[in-house]
Amino acid sequence: MVDERILEIKNYIGGDFIDSPRGDFLGVFEPATGRQFASAPLSDASDVDIAVEAARTAQPSWGALGIRERADWLERIADALEERHEEVASLESRDTGKPISLARSVDATRSVSNFRFFAEMLRSQDQEVFEMADASNFVVNKPVGVGALITPWNLPLYLLSWKIAPAIGMGNSVVCKPSELTPMTADLLMRVFDEIGLPEGVVNLVHGDGIGAGSPLVSHPGVDFVSFTGGTSTGGKVAASAAPSFKKLSLELGGKNSSIVFSDCDMQSAVSGVARAGFLNQGQVCLCGSRILVEGSIYGEFRERFVRHVEQMKVGDPSNEGTELGALISRDHLEKVLGYVELAKEEGGKILTGGSRCSPDGFEGGNWMLPTVIEGVGADSRCATEEIFGPLVTLHSFESEEEALGIANNTRYGLAGSVWTGDLERGRSFSEKMETGMVWVNSWLHRDLRAPFGGVKDSGVGREGGRWSLGFFSEAMNVCVKRD
Ligand code: NAD
């Protein structure tokens, strides 16, 4: 029985908002209070069938539109989404537990930028031609067909828009499956599509969990490509399920990233930059730097200033302007992160600050934890090498570049990293030796949407961003025309 005060969202299929016919729902909970505030359909394979059918029906005429017409649609989406900026930010903050300031600056703002950026990229596409003495090779970028877009809970609308914009921009139609923990802004985006009259079936959405809705979507014979962002173990299942039918596949997976602090860094900006890298979104960003490697000669001073900085970070009501850390996504996830605090103690770690739950006034039922800094665990311990994905960082000291590089590369992951040094040449050459997809020197998460985004090793397969996204969401065909 659904409570009357609870918002009910629906699947969006073929231009209609519909319930799963079986009437099963999943509860949507506010991480900050632990209270249910919405419900979404718990879809299954039969809902996925209808959504894929709607996408297949829509794709030919959508794909036949000129690229400029599709760019205009992306621009219209951006305009309509921008009008709802504050609504997006407050809904995302409520659904994820993140601070409103972050939901405004990242989730609401950058979702709009994603649509605008790809609209602009589509408009600037030139016909690529490779000339031979007696022939011309024309590159034709065709749509792939129907795509499955599967996203996690940490940056719900941002990551969904990052996939939808290039996918439909290149003439594909899609079926989206957002995280069951954070379905609300995906629903808002579907309402935006509906409002502006995006042709029906171009974007469809089924709510539900991974087993019931995600898995049948990936294996569906009517799906031509899969773009997945989520955990590494789920990515393995998605890859295995997509492989037998040779679906085009992009995987953006987990990370365990290092922040490397050299003794010649600007200490003040390194302390605040490394703290931001460690704790943004409560440490729940795949790029977060949760293993902090500090050169021995400045280790003591860095540790002292870093811990003081972390202790001053404001944890509390996500809707407060000044809040820096909100709640963790779920009770289960909080327990998992707290489990790593216990493991750190077993691994010889000393808690320098945090290490426990907290309970801001009025939010006693939520999933709260203090930002936590630990030292003393080995650089190859489980705490220092496994993805924790919470407000917990470990400190380690090193004596040489070689040692720092060895520690940084000693994980199964290879997503991102940051290097802090006054010597930009050294910063660059050190970064190039790191086994990761992205490194920032003297910054973190300073994103240019044209640059490649993605990981190596167990952090993923393929790249997103700029021309890499357009390449993934299209099939390049060569037409060779021989002259007399
Ligand atoms: P998750 O893997 O549990 O879930 C991600 C999505 O996959 C959800 O929508 C889920 O319902 C769906 N899913 C689950 N099982 C499935 C299956 N068998 N088949 C198809 N879909 C299935 O991840 P999460 O807990 O939502 O997100 C956190 C993880 O995402 C972290 O590991 C984080 O590092 C990673 N992440 C990576 C990036 C990146 O760009 N590399 C970005 C954000 C998050």
Side-chain angles (χ1 to χ4, degrees):
M1 191 67 161
V2 173
D3 186 311
E4 271 179 17
R5 291 159 303 165
I6 286 177
L7 305 165
E8 277 182 38
I9 60 172
K10 298 177 190 293
N11 290 338
Y12 184 61
I13 299 178
D16 289 322
F17 288 93
I18 53 177
D19 279 324
S20 176
R22 290 167 304 111
D24 289 343
F25 290 93
L26 50 87
V28 183
F29 297 85
E30 271 181 345
T33 62
R35 285 199 288 268
Q36 183 179 354
F37 75 106
S39 73
L42 186 59
S43 310
D44 70 3
S46 60
D47 304 296
V48 169
D49 283 344
I50 306 169
V52 173
E53 182 57 36
R56 291 221 79 84
T57 306
Q59 197 279 322
S61 49
W62 177 253
L65 287 184
I67 201 160
R68 283 179 173 273
E69 278 178 272
R70 291 197 300 266
D72 290 345
W73 275 110
L74 297 191
E75 203 72 57
R76 260 172 247 157
I77 295 166
D79 291 343
L81 200 54
E82 196 160 36
E83 280 173 24
R84 292 173 172 248
H85 187 271
E86 195 52 31
E87 189 188 348
V88 170
S90 61
L91 194 56
E92 200 72 296
S93 170
R94 188 175 187 196
D95 205 14
T96 61
K98 70 178 64 177
I100 186 72
S101 57
L102 181 65
R104 282 194 188 113
S105 62
V106 173
D107 304 79
T109 301
R110 291 174 61 173
S111 300
V112 173
S113 318
N114 286 343
F115 284 105
R116 285 211 202 292
F117 169 75
F118 282 110
E120 198 43 50
M121 266 211 94
L122 293 184
R123 290 193 186 110
S124 60
Q125 292 300 295
D126 290 328
Q127 169 71 64
E128 218 176 345
V129 187
F130 298 101
E131 295 292 356
M132 300 166 78
D134 58 350
S136 300
N137 293 279
F138 296 93
V139 180
V140 185
N141 295 302
K142 291 183 164 183
V144 187
V146 169
L149 309 182
I150 302 181
T151 45
W153 48 258
N154 62 333
L155 293 158
L157 187 62
Y158 174 74
L159 290 171
L160 191 61
S161 56
W162 181 238
K163 294 185 190 301
I164 292 178
I168 66 172
M170 293 309 283
N172 306 284
S173 57
V174 296
V175 178
C176 310
K177 211 302 281 169
S179 169
E180 59 274 36
L181 297 178
T182 54
M184 301 309 288
T185 50
D187 172 67
L188 189 155
L189 183 63
M190 299 306 121
R191 286 188 275 128
V192 163
F193 294 156
D194 203 55
E195 225 171 72
I196 64 168
L198 185 73
E200 62 190 43
V202 172
V203 180
N204 306 275
L205 181 140
V206 286
H207 292 287
D209 60 20
I211 302 290
S215 178
L217 179 58
V218 171
S219 59
H220 199 289
V223 166
D224 304 298
F225 66 93
V226 178
S227 174
F228 172 84
T229 300
T232 294
S233 66
T234 316
K237 292 179 198 152
V238 167
S241 159
S245 47
F246 306 108
K247 290 180 174 131
K248 206 172 178 188
L249 182 64
S250 158
L251 298 171
E252 298 286 349
L253 308 177
K256 181 74 177 182
N257 313 293
S258 300
S259 302
I260 297 130
V261 186
F262 286 105
S263 57
D264 61 355
C265 70
D266 173 333
M267 180 68 83
Q268 196 174 332
S269 73
V271 165
S272 60
V274 170
R276 178 171 166 267
F279 295 105
L280 192 81
N281 203 28
Q282 299 76 250
Q284 301 168 132
V285 178
C286 54
L287 309 166
C288 272
S290 55
R291 49 208 314 260
I292 301 167
L293 320 184
V294 186
E295 194 159 3
S297 58
I298 59 160
Y299 183 84
E301 185 191 351
F302 181 90
R303 173 183 56 192
E304 191 198 320
R305 291 175 66 165
F306 184 74
V307 168
R308 208 178 327 130
H309 184 99
V310 171
E311 285 176 342
Q312 284 165 2
M313 293 173 102
K314 293 194 190 76
V315 183
D317 183 348
S319 67
N320 262 354
E321 287 295 329
T323 294
E324 291 168 273
L325 269 85
L328 274 68
I329 190 66
S330 66
R331 181 54 52 95
D332 284 353
H333 191 57
L334 171 64
E335 298 296 343
K336 177 190 149 183
V337 179
L338 289 169
Y340 273 97
V341 175
E342 293 312 307
L343 178 65
K345 291 179 193 160
E346 285 165 29
E347 292 185 321
K350 181 174 165 209
I351 318 286
L352 299 177
T353 187
S356 59
R357 293 165 202 269
C358 59
S359 182
D361 285 348
F363 293 92
E364 287 73 18
N367 317 312
W368 296 89
M369 180 176 167
L370 290 169
T372 299
V373 182
I374 295 176
E375 75 169 354
V377 295
D380 57 357
S381 64
R382 284 185 54 201
C383 273
T385 55
E386 295 179 7
E387 183 182 50
I388 299 173
F389 216 57
L392 189 167
V393 301
T394 57
L395 289 180
H396 311 268
S397 77
F398 66 85
E399 297 304 328
S400 66
E401 277 192 22
E402 292 67 35
E403 191 187 1
L405 192 64
I407 298 173
N409 289 343
N410 182 30
T411 78
R412 60 190 284 228
Y413 298 105
L415 190 57
S418 67
V419 176
W420 303 83
T421 172
D423 178 347
L424 298 187
E425 267 315 303
R426 191 232 312 243
R428 203 174 139 185
S429 66
F430 183 90
S431 300
E432 286 179 18
K433 289 181 220 146
M434 288 174 69
E435 294 168 358
T436 71
M438 297 159 275
V439 186
W440 285 278
V441 178
N442 294 333
S443 78
W444 176 77
L445 196 42
H446 192 50
R447 275 284 291 146
D448 181 328
L449 300 183
R450 294 168 301 180
F453 181 103
V456 300
K457 302 201 284 190
D458 287 6
S459 288
V461 177
R463 291 290 176 275
E464 294 182 335
R467 65 182 162 86
W468 288 270
S469 290
L470 298 190
F472 174 75
F473 290 113
S474 61
E475 292 287 11
M477 177 190 192
N478 180 33
V479 177
C480 178
V481 179
K482 179 143 185 340
R483 293 182 287 275
D484 285 342

